[in-house]
Amino acid sequence: MIVARTIADARAAIAERRADGAAPVGLVPTMGALHAGHRSLLTAARAECQIVVMSLFVNPSQFGDQADLAAYPRDEAADLAAAEAAGVDVVFAPDPAEMYPPGFQTWVEVERIGATHEGAHRPGHVRGVATIVLKLLHITAPDVAYFGQKDAQQVELVRAMLRDLDLPIRLRVLPTVRDADGLALASRNARLSPSERAQALALPRALATGDSDQARAILLEAGLAPDYVEVLDFDPPVLAAAVRVGKTRLIDNVVLDRSIAPATEADPR
Ligand code: AMP
């Protein structure tokens, strides 16, 4: 496994492995503090691509809140070991100055998606995500890019950007991985105290109702005031919510597929 710190080194490492031109390259963008959610993306990429590239970059431009950026969990040694174990070929782990050199001034705006929900509650966040994802796609030039359904709005904006900017890259979206108690895995979960974690369990419980009114009632009853809890008309539609538990902001969603009747024992799927 190669660890590239510069854009030039990442391009060279990928080009060398891609020399025959035919081998599909898969990119898994991450901000590190890897957990089983990230691992499911890496496993899919390893199974489906000849060359697996993982980016490891805590992107400052998507954090409005500098305290949140400073507190974001980082453990590069553990992440590199996890990447190696998952069979990653190239890790791209640049410094912020490599990605945002002096004079940087070009940003990607995804207008409608960027103005709602995460975009409305975290000014600059969606623009930061769109810009770093486009940069990572240009640098690594993958055939397939892997994202988690956990960040449903991120998936929707990447889908729009690939289409609007004519990027010949296939989007692969993998289901949300949850802990046994239902909480969606997230790097920020490490910051929850035991009592906050117990309170946070209202989030998956609320979303499991599949109904925004019921979900809101469950969140409020648990003492969690949601930034939003709403059905979003994405592809696929989701019931999504964002809540703050103590100092930690959590997002989660469930896919609503009303066209498929629930499976029964007589009709297993
Ligand atoms: P992050 O490191 O939080 O930026 O996440 C990197 C990628 O992993 C994104 O595509 C996320 O949607 C995905 N991801 C994060 N948590 C989960 C999870 N619990 N299940 C599936 N994918 C996830």
Side-chain angles (χ1 to χ4, degrees), residues 141-190:
D143 300 283
V144 193
Y146 291 81
F147 288 88
Q149 178 62 34
K150 157 90 173 23
D151 297 275
Q153 193 173 356
Q154 175 168 279
V155 167
E156 195 69 5
L157 88 87
V158 172
R159 198 190 301 284
M161 186 170 73
L162 294 179
R163 185 193 60 220
D164 294 347
L165 299 182
D166 312 298
L167 294 159
I169 297 168
R170 197 158 71 83
L171 176 61
R172 276 278 278 135
V173 182
L174 277 293
T176 301
V177 178
R178 296 177 182 281
D179 262 331
D181 59 10
L183 193 66
L185 294 179
S187 304
R188 286 189 177 86
N189 291 355

Side-chain angles (χ1 to χ4, degrees), residues 94-112:
D95 278 341
E98 178 75 2
M99 299 305 270
Y100 299 103
F104 186 92
Q105 57 183 300
T106 306
W107 298 96
V108 179
E109 294 280 1
V110 183
E111 281 181 355
R112 281 195 303 285

Side-chain angles (χ1 to χ4, degrees), residues 17-118:
R17 280 160 187 74
R18 201 182 189 146
D20 67 2
V25 174
L27 171 68
V28 180
T30 82
M31 298 206 300
L34 300 185
H35 51 63
H38 299 106
R39 281 201 296 278
S40 81
L41 303 183
L42 295 172
T43 301
R46 185 66 283 165
E48 296 165 5
C49 299
Q50 205 73 34
I51 302 159
V52 177
V53 182
M54 182 185 96
S55 59
L56 177 52
F57 182 61
V58 182
N59 174 34
S61 77
Q62 71 188 67
F63 289 79
D65 175 356
Q66 290 310 296
D68 186 32
L69 173 60
Y72 198 83
R74 289 172 172 86
D75 188 346
E76 191 185 86
D79 290 341
L80 294 180
E84 178 106 58
V88 170
D89 299 299
V90 178
V91 175
F92 177 46
D95 278 341
E98 178 75 2
M99 299 305 270
Y100 299 103
F104 186 92
Q105 57 183 300
T106 306
W107 298 96
V108 179
E109 294 280 1
V110 183
E111 281 181 355
R112 281 195 303 285
I113 297 167
T116 63
H117 304 97
E118 291 305 293

